[in-house]
Amino acid sequence: MDKTIQKPTLSARPILAVMGSILVLTVLALGISSTWAAKKPLEKAFPSSEKCKRCHLRVFEEWEASAQSRSIVSAPFRITLERYLAKADKKDQAMCFQCHAPHIAEYGELLPQFIKEVQSKDPQMDGVGCPQCHLIHEVDAASHPPIPTFELGKTIFGSYDKAAENLAHQSQKLDLFRNSQLCVTCHDSLPQTPQTAKDLPGWLGDWKASQAETSGKPCQACHMPEAVDESANGEKIRKVANHSFPGRFGKVRADAVELDFSTTVNGATSQVDVSIKSLVPHNLPMPHPGWSRIVVDLSIKGKNLKTVYNEQRFYQRVFGGGDGKETVFDFEAKKVLQDTLLQPEETRKEVFTFPTPKDAPSMDVIVTLTYAPVHGPQDFLKEVEQDAPLGQKDRAFQIVEIAQKKTNVLLKKK
Ligand code: HEC
Ligand code: HEC
Ligand code: HEC
Ligand code: HEC
Ligand code: HEC
């Protein structure tokens, strides 16, 4: 809506209210989106983040290094999108973009262009860029999944009480920007389509009841950690929020879990009791994409540091497709076959038993928690590998360590 009617004078208000309802009715009747009359071109309404770089260099560089900046660029995304589009009804084809490039909500008619951008492997358009968050004016939390409303004017929304004036945009504080709800909009569930099941559980688990959330620590507290710096080039130093969105990659990983274990040797058999305490107020890992999993690995090294025993357990949500078989594509999931995700702030116990190494004076006991690389059907993995510019070196194929603990256990007295 035009910015000139943002601060109406008192006398103009009733007229505006009437105009407003006519506008709403017209919009509903025509089934068009919220912009009035001549619609701004896409690049004007959602300018490239490069346009913000000029004045917000630090923020831009952090964002550019983040996963959010790659939301429509990865090989797994391209290949999974293709698979989804091949089967989706015409009316549901924008589904993935709803979070990976949410401005589709305002420019649904440009869907073919969005798809072409993804296929180009080097999109000129951002997926989750600066305006895609900072033009969100409201989120309807009651709908499933929550739906954001953009306000496409000259005002940028943020969390500052008094942002310094500048020539590029007006600024307005919205409480939403310090609230988990902004993030939950895109981080809790896929929209329902005829392909997906009706009642799959959310990705985050019961985050609302978590200690972090109830003690006033929203998502931003951990994923946009506070620092002190310039918010815009040359502006005064003040509290700023880190925009590299650490998660699977980045520093927050060190604070994900407390890992502990004890070892008991009972003659020919030994036992390791592992305790994994999640410090995170949401599920770990998040079950989207459907192949996400955390691996708990126990390795026992005997004589000459040779691995004599190895066992792995997975924390994951395994989906069943229409044919009842396992699928890593959550968009075709009809039900959950198995769910071993670490729940918010849960402490999980794992007991491993194994043969005590023979002829060794001691053994190394090593417990490791990692994010597993992408897995799934062979043809899918081949396609991802061929599509990724770095092939097997793509980050999708990397193992990412979360925590590790090792001890040496004496087996014989000297
Ligand atoms: C418009 C949708 C949208 C909103 C709003 C959003 N995100 Fe995201 N976020 C994404 C998408 C899509 C990705 C995945 C990008 C990729 O890797 O393809 C992502 C990735 C992330 C990651 C990296 C995850 C990883 O595996 O390392 C973190 C952390 C994150 N977001 C946190 C947040 C926080 C905190 C907020 C709220 C301030 C937020 N997001 C708001 C869409 C969104
Ligand atoms: C409700 C919002 C939402 C929708 C809809 C959605 N995604 Fe995501 N997607 C995310 C978020 C958030 C992440 C980051 C997850 C994380 O790291 O925890 C993500 C991550 C991913 C990833 C892993 C990161 C990457 O870029 O390689 C892939 C692949 C992916 N999504 C594919 C899809 C596909 C294909 C669809 C449509 C079938 C889709 N997504 C629909 C929000 C969404
Ligand atoms: C996923 C959503 C998201 C994206 C993408 C995003 N921001 Fe933010 N931004 C936020 C939130 C939330 C806050 C408020 C954080 C707080 O106060 O804890 C914020 C705060 C800010 C602030 C004020 C505080 C500070 O750190 O300086 C500026 C300026 C800003 N963003 C600019 C940008 C620019 C420029 C980009 C793109 C390069 C960008 N943002 C991308 C969500 C986002
Ligand atoms: C001409 C320079 C300039 C450009 C271009 C610019 N900004 Fe800003 N922006 C500023 C200044 C100056 C501030 C005030 C910083 C302060 O108060 O510390 C600011 C403040 C902000 C804030 C904080 C608002 C609040 O109330 O919390 C956000 C968010 C923001 N800008 C986002 C953006 C985005 C997104 C873009 C690109 C579409 C952009 N800016 C382009 C100069 C600019
Ligand atoms: C108390 C700190 C804390 C809060 C609050 C928090 N997280 Fe996290 N989150 C973490 C940590 C730590 C990790 C890293 C886990 C890892 O990499 O092992 C993580 C991981 C993630 C990831 C990537 C992990 C994955 O498996 O894909 C996403 C996405 C994410 N958080 C989103 C959110 C959202 C959305 C909220 C708000 C509802 C939130 N987080 C609140 C600490 C927090």
Side-chain angles (χ1 to χ4, degrees):
M1 235 180 270
D2 196 325
K3 274 291 85 29
T4 51
I5 57 167
Q6 239 230 333
K7 287 181 198 145
T9 60
L10 273 180
S11 60
R13 249 185 206 156
I15 307 171
L16 282 173
V18 173
M19 276 169 57
S21 30
I22 294 173
L23 174 71
V24 169
L25 288 175
T26 318
V27 166
L28 287 178
L30 296 176
I32 55 171
S33 60
S34 62
T35 28
W36 177 237
K39 198 169 169 176
K40 283 189 190 174
L42 179 76
E43 332 63 80
K44 283 262 154 52
F46 290 91
S48 155
S49 299
E50 288 280 345
K51 294 257 154 77
C52 321
K53 178 181 180 180
R54 189 155 63 88
C55 301
H56 295 289
L57 185 61
R58 175 194 56 81
V59 183
F60 178 87
E61 284 176 345
E62 288 167 353
W63 168 83
E64 199 181 27
S66 76
Q68 312 252 19
S69 79
R70 295 186 294 269
S71 66
I72 54 170
V73 187
S74 81
F77 180 74
R78 280 192 297 275
I79 303 298
T80 326
L81 177 68
E82 289 298 337
R83 295 212 171 197
Y84 172 72
L85 291 176
K87 288 195 187 149
D89 295 352
K90 198 124 203 113
K91 68 171 177 35
D92 297 321
Q93 298 226 328
M95 194 268 272
C96 307
F97 292 106
Q98 190 166 317
C99 310
H100 285 263
H103 44 313
I104 193 78
E106 302 284 337
Y107 290 87
E109 70 281 7
L110 298 182
L111 178 64
Q113 185 188 326
F114 277 63
I115 296 173
K116 273 211 194 88
E117 289 264 5
V118 173
Q119 288 167 340
S120 77
K121 292 192 180 186
D122 183 22
Q124 299 308 298
M125 179 181 91
D126 293 330
V128 184
C130 323
Q132 279 79 354
C133 277
H134 284 288
L135 292 176
I136 295 179
H137 177 245
E138 217 175 342
V139 174
D140 176 4
S143 67
H144 168 89
I147 298 176
T149 311
F150 294 99
E151 193 174 294
L152 306 182
K154 278 209 156 70
T155 303
I156 295 278
F157 304 106
S159 60
Y160 280 161
D161 259 337
K162 292 191 184 76
E165 291 198 5
N166 71 84
L167 293 173
H169 60 80
Q170 291 160 14
S171 303
Q172 189 186 321
K173 180 183 165 158
L174 286 182
D175 291 338
L176 179 64
F177 280 76
R178 289 290 297 160
N179 195 300
S180 293
Q181 192 54 57
L182 177 72
C183 320
V184 172
T185 308
C186 300
H187 278 273
D188 199 28
S189 62
L190 284 187
Q192 284 166 9
T193 72
Q195 273 77 43
T196 55
K198 289 269 170 297
D199 48 6
L200 291 179
W203 300 339
L204 291 161
D206 196 4
W207 62 276
K208 274 191 186 154
S210 70
Q211 222 186 323
E213 178 69 22
T214 53
S215 66
K217 278 180 94 182
C219 318
Q220 289 87 330
C222 299
H223 293 290
M224 301 189 77
E226 203 175 275
V228 175
D229 208 329
E230 287 173 345
S231 172
N233 309 350
E235 279 300 324
K236 67 170 193 277
I237 306 277
R238 51 146 116 201
K239 277 185 191 162
V240 297
N242 185 291
H243 276 69
S244 65
F245 299 96
R248 194 174 303 230
F249 299 93
K251 283 222 179 77
V252 293
R253 231 170 40 244
D255 303 323
V257 295
E258 273 170 19
L259 172 63
D260 231 323
F261 65 81
S262 60
T263 311
T264 325
V265 181
N266 295 318
T269 317
S270 293
Q271 179 171 321
V272 174
D273 290 88
V274 181
S275 154
I276 298 166
K277 181 180 177 196
S278 168
L279 305 175
V280 173
H282 48 71
N283 285 331
L284 263 188
M286 305 284 189
H288 171 81
W291 57 80
S292 296
R293 57 159 71 146
I294 283 178
V295 182
V296 186
D297 179 291
L298 172 78
S299 287
I300 306 298
K301 289 184 178 174
K303 212 170 164 181
N304 299 328
L305 292 180
K306 222 182 109 195
T307 301
V308 290
Y309 186 81
N310 178 255
E311 188 176 336
Q312 299 198 324
R313 295 186 187 162
F314 299 127
Y315 295 160
Q316 62 184 345
R317 188 175 282 169
V318 180
F319 296 103
D323 55 5
K325 293 208 194 92
E326 268 185 31
T327 175
V328 295
F329 304 115
D330 52 354
F331 56 81
E332 58 186 30
K334 294 289 179 230
K335 59 179 168 200
V336 175
L337 299 177
Q338 185 202 40
D339 191 331
T340 52
L341 299 173
L342 265 186
Q343 314 245 318
E345 296 161 356
E346 178 192 352
T347 301
R348 186 78 59 92
K349 308 278 184 196
E350 298 286 349
V351 178
F352 295 90
T353 49
F354 55 93
T356 308
K358 288 189 194 116
D359 312 326
S362 71
M363 61 177 171
D364 281 342
V365 181
I366 307 163
V367 179
T368 315
L369 234 70
T370 54
Y371 276 110
V374 55
H375 69 98
Q378 278 311 316
D379 59 328
F380 166 67
L381 294 179
K382 264 257 117 32
E383 259 184 271
V384 172
E385 186 184 336
Q386 279 163 2
D387 191 62
L390 295 174
Q392 276 281 347
K393 293 218 170 82
D394 190 275
R395 57 166 72 218
F397 295 104
Q398 286 172 22
I399 293 171
V400 182
E401 187 177 304
I402 301 167
Q404 185 177 68
K405 194 160 182 180
K406 42 179 146 184
T407 53
N408 183 263
V409 179
L410 286 179
L411 295 174
K412 283 182 202 154
K413 290 212 175 84
K414 274 183 195 158

